[in-house]
Amino acid sequence: MTISSSLLLQNPHHPFQIQKHPHLLHHIYLQPPPSITLSPLPPPPLLRIRTKNLLPCATLSSFSDDNEAAAETKANANEEEELNEMAKAFHISSRTASAITVCIAVAALTLPLFMRSLSTAGLSVKTRALGYLTLLSGFYMAWNIGANDVANAMGTSVGSGALTLRQAVVTAAVLEFSGAFLLGRHVTSTMQKGILVAGVFQGKDMLLFAGLLSSLAASGTWLQVASFYGWPVSTTHCIVGAMVGFGLLYGGIGAVFWSSLARVMASWVISPIMGAAVSFLVYKCIRRYVYSAPNPGKAAATAAPFAVLLGVTGISFAAFPLSKTLPIALLQALACGIAGAFIVSRVIHNQLGHLLISESERLEQKEAPDLQNMSFLSDIAGPKGAQLEIVYGVFGYMQILSACFMSFAHGGNDVSNAIGPLAAALSILQGGTTGAEIVIPTDVLAWGGFGIVAGLMMWGYRVIATIGKKITELTPTRGFAAEFAAASVVLGASKLGLPISATHTLVGAVMGVGFARGLNSVRAETVREIVASWAVTIPVGAILSVLYTLILTKVLAFLV
């Protein structure tokens, strides 16, 4: 006999999950009884149900195997959990996610064998083996940088809807690798950045080698833990903590530049505060001069080229100065900014021009709001309907541009956290002088870029979700305000030589946008988790580095 599934679905305590079909009425077939009554139901008979997951049928003879079956099912679920999460994030099948993971693993294990750094003539078998281990450690660190730090560039774009997760990952993969490969050559070893006093380790090359390798492994370990839980931590702080821990244990107090460490710790407070303050002002300017305009769409189309002018001019002057003469460099940067503004203006009007014209005609008779009685901090209601679509369309383009630049710059700058210690360790293996300037080989730069892209593809979605969705709700205007503010602060601080963390700055910028909408718009629980992860980054990196160095020095003493 048949019973309509709609009746059974009204019972919230029914033990089975029924999948509705949009067109067909599902039925459940009971075996055996030939009839049904409305009296209290006895224990349910065996049911044949077509569900998403087939449920095991329990009988008196099978209860003895239940625990083993449950344990096996749980083990299989744990093994497939990560691949299922990756598949869901990118809307791909689990088989495709498995294939991507296997390809990355095979490439990571085999490519080092063909790199020039291991094929140098005259290297012994032990040296080649240690070099292979060093390259794997550098890849592990770069992988975790991609899994954690790339969210600085793409998190807000995904959270606001300007880019899908798949688009963000593909875009970031290209730009991160390009930045690492094209701009990473200036990278030197971590020692030369003012963290460790190189002279303390003069004549202790293998000890320094062990410390560099352990610092990479320790930093990668903590970053992997942070990425698993979706915590955006600073990779720079992590490698600094690892190097400091090694230096203190094996070189003493005099092996550490304490002033550099103090500046790094000060940036925990400076970075998020500056990011929050600038993003707060940027977002308030958008609400004051765009949202409250008589024609918000037209105001957004006018403001976008101006923002591009400022951004491109600042980027060209700070990151890519074309001349050593200050006035000429400023004029060249301004010319680049004007060219960028013109291009963006043309793109916006080509894509949204018809909407701008129609909305302008519709709003001609509308009275303009009284802006004289509005303060800068007033809570201004946003546009609606077609006007809102135009504003979001304009700032969607703007946010994609800002995300692309941050991704390119991040690949060129933060790859040093993996490639710096890696290049220094390889140099020691090949007989280089301790503390000498390190020249980064091209294949090592490409190796670091590949590691960042691999980590981004496999685990990057975790931290992207935290920055883009869990701190505060983001829209294209809010996402642009956060990214533009973070990029401005990082560029300005880099030009002035101030120690600023890109991760901390962007998290602070996202919080600043939330504060501009009211304190209740920021999720306090997420912020507390992020701040706690910041506080323990340097100590955990130091402890893990000391532990790994103890183990590695004993292994090297046995092998070498």
Side-chain angles (χ1 to χ4, degrees), residues 61 76 85 127 148 231 338 403:
S61 61
N76 293 334
E85 288 186 9
T127 301
N148 194 285
W231 299 333
I338 293 174

Side-chain angles (χ1 to χ4, degrees), residues 146-339:
N148 194 285
D149 236 23
V150 178
N152 296 336
M154 292 298 169
T156 54
S157 297
V158 174
S160 68
L163 290 172
T164 65
L165 181 61
R166 188 183 300 182
Q167 290 171 339
V169 168
V170 172
T171 303
V174 174
L175 293 173
E176 289 280 340
F177 184 87
S178 300
F181 187 76
L182 297 176
L183 298 182
R185 189 170 298 278
H186 67 280
V187 178
T188 55
S189 69
T190 305
M191 295 179 297
Q192 293 172 314
K193 294 182 179 179
I195 301 301
L196 294 181
V197 180
V200 174
F201 299 96
Q202 194 71 32
K204 303 177 182 178
D205 291 346
M206 291 311 297
L207 174 61
L208 182 57
F209 170 79
L212 291 169
L213 213 61
S214 299
S215 297
L216 287 171
S219 301
T221 301
W222 172 239
L223 286 175
Q224 187 169 8
V225 172
S227 299
F228 179 82
Y229 290 103
W231 299 333
V233 300
S234 172
T235 57
T236 303
H237 290 180
C238 196
I239 192 68
V240 166
M243 294 298 296
V244 167
F246 161 74
L248 284 177
L249 182 64
Y250 290 94
I253 297 178
V256 178
F257 285 112
W258 292 105
S259 58
S260 298
L261 183 61
R263 289 196 299 270
V264 169
M265 297 180 68
S267 71
W268 287 347
V269 179
I270 297 173
S271 301
I273 289 179
M274 291 182 66
V278 176
S279 68
F280 181 92
L281 293 175
V282 171
Y283 186 61
K284 281 297 184 181
C285 285
I286 293 174
R287 297 188 69 89
R288 176 66 172 78
Y289 298 107
V290 175
Y291 281 9
S292 62
N295 190 333
K298 184 178 180 180
T302 303
F306 180 72
V308 172
L309 172 65
L310 294 178
V312 174
T313 300
I315 292 167
S316 301
F317 179 72
F320 308 104
L322 303 178
S323 175
K324 296 182 180 180
T325 305
L326 181 60
I328 297 178
L330 285 174
L331 289 176
Q332 291 174 335
L334 183 60
C336 293
I338 293 174

Side-chain angles (χ1 to χ4, degrees), residues 115 177 180-181 415 419 440-452:
M115 293 177 63
F177 184 87
F181 187 76
V415 72
I419 297 304
I440 310 298
T442 301
D443 58 343
V444 173
L445 283 175
W447 181 242
F450 171 63
I452 290 177

